[in-house]
Structures are given as structure tokens and as C-alpha cells.
Amino acid sequence: MENSDEGDPQPSGGSGEGCSGEPDQASEETAATRSLLNTARLMEENPTLLRLKELETLEKVTEKVDKLTVFGGLDGVLKDVVRIQVPAS
């Protein structure tokens, strides 16, 4: 019996050469999902890390808006949970 790999799909974890790229994309998506899960677990265990992520997100949002109104001053931003309300169109 001959041992031929022709037509057989590349096993997961292989180089993926000659494939359409789908296995590599699936691996990347799996890795990204795993990374998000690990980040969520870390934030759940560490409130300071969660707060830093909130402030990082707020910074990104403020780069994209023309006007930002902060109630409670700097203390409100630093101590309260960020709440973003999108006005109804």
C-alpha cells in the first residue's frame, strides 16, 4: 500500500503551506479568543486592572468625539465606573 498525502488536508498545527489559509485564520481567531478570556479573568480578579482598561477605553473614545462632558469632575472620572450614553438619533 502506498503512502500518499495528496488531497489530504494539512493537520491542525501544520505549516498550512498550500492551503487556502483558513486553518491559519482559525488558529489566529482561537488564539485571539483565548487571549480575551485570559484578559477577562485577570480583570475579574484585579479591580485595578479593570479600572485601567476602563480609562484606556475612555481615552480611545475621547479621541473620536468632538465634545465630552464629564460630570463629577476629575474625581468622577477617576473614582466612578465609566458610563457612556449614546444619544438617540
Side-chain angles (χ1 to χ4, degrees):
M1 184 173 208
E2 291 183 25
N3 188 3
S4 173
D5 288 336
E6 281 186 48
D8 291 340
Q10 183 76 19
S12 179
S15 67
E17 289 181 29
C19 293
S20 65
E22 290 177 19
D24 289 336
Q25 183 179 359
S27 294
E28 289 174 11
E29 290 175 2
T30 300
T33 301
R34 187 175 293 121
S35 177
L36 284 172
L37 177 61
N38 290 337
T39 300
R41 286 179 179 158
L42 286 171
M43 288 191 291
E44 183 178 46
E45 296 167 1
N46 189 337
T48 303
L49 182 60
L50 176 61
R51 188 64 185 137
L52 287 172
K53 191 66 174 172
E54 287 178 340
L55 292 172
E56 181 182 86
T57 302
L58 181 60
E59 179 183 34
K60 288 179 183 178
V61 168
T62 59
E63 292 172 356
K64 299 181 187 298
V65 296
D66 293 329
K67 181 180 178 184
L68 180 70
T69 304
V70 177
F71 296 97
L74 185 58
D75 282 342
V77 172
L78 294 177
K79 294 179 183 174
D80 293 334
V81 175
V82 175
R83 291 180 194 94
I84 299 174
Q85 294 181 357
V86 178
S89 297

